[in-house]
């Protein structure tokens, strides 16, 4: 189902016929994809959707060709994306919600977290970021820090 069906905010995510190019409500599936884009998908198909050479359209960005094969190998979503991981965690969720849903998290630097290696949901193919300078694990208020970006990629 297209997102922002009747909303002017979605104009940047529509083609000339008014069809939604990306589904901003699609689930974020670690190791698989988000927004209707899948890891391993041809870069040509994204360019045909109207994504620019920077592979960015609204709150969705992709990275291609890390391995020189012309395919998407990473996707990240930011504010304005409403899909969630396992129907629970999305952009804007708090770190405390991640811990409650999936278990402990590990701060890996530069405002980025991953699930603790002992948790079943940690498959090393999704991370989430907060604003740099936010409190980190154990510091007062760290559980109330909001996620500003979710990255998925190949493990």
């Amino acid at each position: 189902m297209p997102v922002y069906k009747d909303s002017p905010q979605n104009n940047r995510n529509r083609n000339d016929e008014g069809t939604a190019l990306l589904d901003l409500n699609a689930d974020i599936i670690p190791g698989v994809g988000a927004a209707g884009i899948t890891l391993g998908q041809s870069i040509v198909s994204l360019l045909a959707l109207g994504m620019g050479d920077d592979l960015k359209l609204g709150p969705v960005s992709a990275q291609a060709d890390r391995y020189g094969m012309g395919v998407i190998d990473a996707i990240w979503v930011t504010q304005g994306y409403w899909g969630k991981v396992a129907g629970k965690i999305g952009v804007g969720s708090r770190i405390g919600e991640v811990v409650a849903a999936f278990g402990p998290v590990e701060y890996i630097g530069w405002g980025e977290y991953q699930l603790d290696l002992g948790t079943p949901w940690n498959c090393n193919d999704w991370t989430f970021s907060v604003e740099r300078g936010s409190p980190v694990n154990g510091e007062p208020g760290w559980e109330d820090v909001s996620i500003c970006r979710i990255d998925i990629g190949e493990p």
Side-chain angles (χ1 to χ4, degrees):
M1 180 173 161
V3 294
Y4 292 108
K5 188 172 182 183
D6 298 313
S7 173
Q9 290 101 334
N10 195 40
N11 288 340
R12 68 179 181 270
N13 294 318
R14 293 184 178 276
N15 63 19
D16 292 337
E17 292 80 42
T19 305
L21 301 174
L22 301 173
D23 183 355
L24 303 184
N25 289 317
D27 289 338
I28 301 166
I29 305 172
V32 177
I37 302 170
T38 56
L39 297 171
Q41 181 175 340
S42 167
I43 185 175
V44 173
S45 63
L46 293 185
L47 295 173
L49 285 177
M51 291 184 101
D53 290 339
D54 61 353
L55 296 181
K56 180 170 176 34
L57 186 61
V60 180
S61 297
Q63 171 183 294
D65 244 8
R66 180 173 49 184
Y67 304 112
M69 297 172 30
V71 298
I72 303 303
D73 51 41
I75 303 163
W76 55 95
V77 296
T78 58
Q79 185 176 9
Y81 191 84
W82 291 277
K84 297 187 181 297
V85 175
K88 299 177 182 182
I89 302 301
V91 174
S93 296
R94 295 170 308 145
I95 292 179
E97 294 173 295
V98 175
V99 171
F102 301 117
V105 298
E106 175 185 0
Y107 182 72
I108 56 177
W110 296 96
E112 195 168 5
Y113 287 82
Q114 67 182 16
L115 294 179
D116 186 89
L117 293 176
T119 63
W121 269 90
N122 184 329
C123 41
N124 288 330
D125 54 10
W126 72 290
T127 60
F128 55 94
S129 301
V130 298
E131 294 295 329
R132 290 190 182 153
S134 297
V136 297
N137 289 42
E139 293 181 355
W142 79 276
E143 289 185 329
D144 293 322
V145 174
S146 294
I147 294 171
C148 64
R149 175 174 144 166
I150 297 177
D151 300 14
I152 63 167
E154 297 175 0

